[in-house]
Each structure stands twice: as structure tokens, then as C-alpha cells.
Amino acid sequence: MMQAIVQRAYGGPEVLVLEDVEAPDPGTGQVRVAVTAAGVHLLDATLREGVAGPFGRAELPLTPGREVAGVVDAVGPDVDRSWLGRRVVAHLGVLSGGYATRALAPAAALLPLADHVTEADAVAMVGTGRTALGILEEAAIGPDDTVLVTSAAGGLGTLLVQAAVQAGARVVGVAGGAAKSALVASYGAHPVDYLEPGWPREVSDLLGDERPVTVALDGVGGAVGRAAFELVAPGGRLVMFGWTAGEAMPLTAQDVFERGVAVTAAIGARMFARPGGIQGLAREAVERLGTGAWRPTTTGFPLADAAEAHRALAGRRTTGKVVLLT
């Protein structure tokens, strides 16, 4: 037996209930992971509500979660037994099952962890980190750039800020509130609080005319995303990767032509169609964690509090990657 969060109806966070269930046995090409940490994603909330995600509408009952780290405790009949007992992190792909004390993972998705790497940090990299690398491929940030990152204190934002700083760019991180602004500053960016009225003017005054925004990385959409777009100087580029505000950025082809800004959508179908696939991005992200090049921030909740984790994420009461701990 094991414990798992089981969702038997669509709805709010209250549908996420901890239950005792049978532990699964790995099949061909699979391993079973004794989960220490599981990642929580905004997509989990979308599927929880019954909205169709990139792979369609989730079928019930289900155990959410697509990012896990822990120790391999069983392997399928065709899987190398040397994986047994190893600490790993894996993205489960279209499968769910991560919000549990045991989860099945494709053996091909396993990435071993260095001894000094924690499972919570690893979970922050295997999915979110690979997405950050895909965004950075599109952004092509260099030392002459001035980069604006929205939601800069989130799981993706903290990684994008670090990468832009490491590229030698001048970086402005937009986040909500004093605590999140302090986190952004700790990564080497200039923090701007979007909860303050007139924050776009603060960005303009901070940068002046000498080094205007040349790259905006936006996953918020809505009015915040639109403001970020309008801060990009002609010849610059906007890379979009979602709309956590609940609505896409209001943007027309005429807007793009008039401002002379290149606009790209970095995730979704585009990322899955990249040459070489996305597993290499996950591997590189975990390697960056191992070398210390990236320092993720996480907000942890006990597995039993998955519903509260969803509420906190939706209420913007978290920083970095949200992780369930068993």
C-alpha cells in the first residue's frame, strides 16, 4: 500500500484528497520511484478544474503530478537493475501519478542525482528548468541586452533571472511585494514591484534612454504582459510562455509592426518540436543544479496538504517552485 492524492471529481483544491491505495508495479520500460518530492505546476490546477490541457481533458479518477524525485525501489522486467536504490529525478510526461509516495516513471526519463543535490531542488529543475532553457534558446540573451522578466520570483522567473544575469545582461525582475522583490534582488536583478501603481514608469526611469529593454520574458500575460511589451524598444524581442494572469496578453499584428518588436511563443508545440526533443533540456537543467550554476528557490508543503499548495500557488503566496514533500 501507499498514500496518494486522488482526485475523483473536477473542481477546486478541495477535490485533492489523500487516500491509501495499492502501490503500482512497474511494467515494460518503467521503474517505480519512492517519491521524496513532487512538483506542483499551474497546469495541474487547470486539469483539476476539468479544463483540457495540452494532452486533452484529464480522465478521472487520477493522481496529479508529472515531476518526481526519490529513490528507485522497483524496475520493470526489461529495465537495468542497476537503477535500484539510486536517487533520481524524472518528468513523467503525459502520465500523472506524482502526488504520491510511489510513482511509475519511464526508465528513459530518469536522471541520476549528485549526492549534494536535494530532491526538492531537483524537482524544481526537471520540468521548470527544461522549460527555462527552451525559453532562453528563443531569447538568445547577450551582454548587450537589457532583460525584463515578469513573475521574476516564480519557479521559472528565478531561473530566467539567474541565466540573464550570468549572460552579462542588465536585468529587471518584476514581482509582487517586498519579499518577492528581495528574492529577485538576491539573484542579481533590479527588482520592481508590479503591485505599486505606475511600475512601468519606474522601469523606464530606472533604465533611462541609454539601455532600454531589449528582451522581455513574459509568462503573466494580461495587463502586466502588455506593459512589458510596451517597454521593449524597437528592434527588441518579446518571448511569451503563458498567461498566469488568466488571460492572454492583448496584442495584435498591428501592435507588433508599429513597435518593431519580434514576438515569439516559446513553449507548447514549439518546444516539443525542437530538434533533439526536450529530454536534453531536462538533463542540462539538472546538470546546472549539480554544478551550482542555478540555485532554485522552492516552497514546500507536505503531501497531505496538496490542496493548500494549490490554493497558495493560485493566490500568489509562494516563491519559486512549489513542491510536495513526503
Side-chain angles (χ1 to χ4, degrees), residues 120-133:
D121 284 350
V123 160
M125 304 302 292
V126 70
T128 303
R130 79 179 187 186
T131 300
L133 289 171

Side-chain angles (χ1 to χ4, degrees), residues 37 61 84 116 122 124 148-149 162 197 301 312:
L84 285 170
H116 66 281
L148 177 71
V149 182
Q162 290 177 70
F301 294 83

Side-chain angles (χ1 to χ4, degrees), residues 29-323:
Q30 293 181 321
V31 305
R32 188 176 67 195
V33 178
V35 178
T36 305
V40 178
H41 194 282
L42 282 170
L43 177 60
D44 299 346
T46 299
L47 297 173
R48 187 199 71 224
E49 294 169 350
V51 178
F55 309 110
R57 193 182 194 207
E59 295 184 4
L60 301 178
L62 68 85
T63 292
R66 289 169 173 75
E67 303 155 340
V68 299
V71 176
V72 176
D73 73 349
V75 300
D78 62 332
V79 175
D80 188 342
R81 293 185 61 81
S82 67
W83 281 111
L84 285 170
R86 297 183 68 181
R87 296 171 65 243
V88 298
V89 65
H91 195 286
L92 306 184
V94 298
L95 299 176
S96 56
Y99 293 12
T101 56
R102 298 287 189 277
L104 297 181
L110 297 179
L111 296 170
L113 299 183
D115 290 342
H116 66 281
V117 169
T118 70
E119 285 87 350
D121 284 350
V123 160
M125 304 302 292
V126 70
T128 303
R130 79 179 187 186
T131 300
L133 289 171
I135 293 166
L136 292 167
E137 281 186 350
E138 297 297 324
I141 297 166
D144 295 329
D145 282 313
T146 298
V147 181
L148 177 71
V149 182
T150 64
S151 192
L156 265 175
T158 52
L159 300 181
L160 296 174
V161 164
Q162 290 177 70
V165 168
Q166 291 165 3
R170 187 178 188 185
V171 185
V172 177
V174 179
K180 292 185 178 183
S181 293
L183 175 62
V184 170
S186 75
Y187 283 121
H190 300 277
V192 171
D193 187 349
Y194 76 86
L195 297 180
E196 295 293 332
W199 69 264
R201 170 55 59 184
E202 181 182 347
V203 174
S204 296
D205 292 345
L206 173 68
L207 297 177
D209 296 328
E210 296 300 316
R211 291 193 66 179
V213 175
T214 57
V215 182
L217 307 179
D218 177 58
V220 177
V224 171
R226 176 69 194 208
F229 167 72
E230 292 179 354
L231 285 166
V232 181
R237 50 210 186 272
L238 166 69
V239 181
M240 301 183 296
F241 49 93
W243 44 84
T244 60
E247 59 180 359
M249 181 192 311
L251 192 64
T252 67
Q254 183 175 352
D255 295 330
V256 174
F257 276 99
E258 287 181 350
R259 290 202 58 83
V261 172
V263 178
T264 305
I267 65 173
R270 184 183 187 92
M271 185 172 293
F272 282 95
R274 69 182 294 277
I278 59 176
Q279 179 65 4
L281 296 179
R283 182 177 295 105
E284 181 181 345
V286 174
E287 288 173 354
R288 288 193 180 204
L289 173 64
T291 63
W294 272 355
R295 296 180 294 109
T297 293
T298 62
T299 299
F301 294 83
L303 175 64
D305 292 343
E308 181 56 28
H310 276 226
R311 293 187 188 98
L313 184 59
R316 302 183 185 280
R317 293 185 279 114
T318 64
T319 54
K321 179 71 173 180
V322 178
V323 180

